[in-house]
Amino acid sequence: MDGNFSSSHMSGNPEFVSRSTRMFLTVIMGVFTATGILLNTLVIVVTVRHRKLRQPLSYALVNLAFCDLGCAMFGGVITTINSAVGYFAFGELGCFIEGFTVAFFGITGLCTIGVISVERYIVVCYPMGAVLFQTRHAIAGVILSWVWSFVWNTPPLFGWGSYSPEGIKTSCAPTWSSRDAGDVSYMIIYFLLCFFVPFTIIMVSYSRLLWTLRQVTKLRISEAGSTNRVEMQVVRMVVVMVLAFLVTWLPYAAMALAVIFDHSLDLDPLVATIPVYFAKSSTCYNPIIYIFMNRQFRDYAIPTVLCGYNPWATDPISEVETTDASSLNKIQKTPCRDKIEL
């Protein structure tokens, strides 16, 4: 365990925030947590039940839903309870468990988004290339995400780095506010390998993908037209998911890095808590984006929730609207780069 968890964290801290503010934070976190648990469970159940949804991209999307579900259950629930009572009520062991699990699921989710970005780039721009993104590649990417996250979240178990309460002391995370040399060195390496490496992969993949699409003057109505439109819809969906993740987590990452590199910076506990709660709210955004921006998934998900009834029913799901590489190869004759008008 870490040495940053003192007995003061086991009792109330009324000086941090007023009771009304605490109750407001409790309600907000409770709503985001409940929504995240329900919607991510829906994504997992619907994908498992319907074979047509089991495409290479779906493995990564379901893995992302599982990561969000883990963050909501181990992070959101605990934070909601602690916000209600006004302090961290689960002791040192509970702090370690929450800090580890939320960081573990969170970094796995970020790495999974990196896998999704690579998949989109390969499928959309190189459907006839030498390397096709297939199911085995998606599974390998998912496994790598878990392994990478596990490797870099376990050092506190062996004394390098630690987990401790943050903000108004209602949630725990890797200790970014400590001045201890071990904590500081761990957090610098942690951010470099677990945040900036996947972040760079995401930015490079989508920058090249969007640059390629920008060169295309228009998508002609042709035999491949419907597939092109579906592919573009999926690209837009994943781009929005990436932006949602970054918008919710960047303020937290920026705050932590600022404190790490500027030891004189002393943040107000409430100010330090806002990015924490904002980041934990990210668990409900991805399934919302996935459900409302993916017609194929929506046509299966809504009847599941409404016991077979779909008031927004569209035309029957066509096989041509699948997003796997094999269907693209049957329709598109040239890779994305051949369509560019230079």
Side-chain angles (χ1 to χ4, degrees), residues 190-210:
Y190 187 80
F191 271 103
L192 178 63
L193 297 179
C194 293
F195 187 82
F196 287 110
V197 168
F199 179 82
T200 300
I201 292 173
I202 292 168
M203 291 299 102
V204 170
S205 297
Y206 278 111
S207 294
R208 297 191 65 180
L209 171 59
L210 295 176

Side-chain angles (χ1 to χ4, degrees), residues 196-246:
F196 287 110
V197 168
F199 179 82
T200 300
I201 292 173
I202 292 168
M203 291 299 102
V204 170
S205 297
Y206 278 111
S207 294
R208 297 191 65 180
L209 171 59
L210 295 176
W211 181 87
T212 300
L213 296 178
R214 190 186 180 102
Q215 309 309 306
V216 181
T217 57
K218 64 180 180 178
L219 294 174
R220 295 179 175 84
I221 304 300
S222 62
E223 181 185 12
S226 60
T227 301
N228 285 334
R229 286 194 297 273
V230 170
E231 286 304 316
M232 295 309 101
Q233 290 171 2
V234 175
V235 169
R236 285 194 294 269
M237 177 193 74
V238 179
V239 167
V240 173
M241 294 175 75
V242 170
L243 291 177
F245 188 95
L246 295 179

Side-chain angles (χ1 to χ4, degrees), residues 7 14 32 49 110 132 147 160 167 189 215 241 243 275-277 325:
S7 59
F32 280 123
R49 288 182 59 182
L110 179 58
L132 298 178
V147 171
W160 184 32
I189 297 298
Q215 309 309 306
M241 294 175 75
L243 291 177
V276 175
Y277 278 56

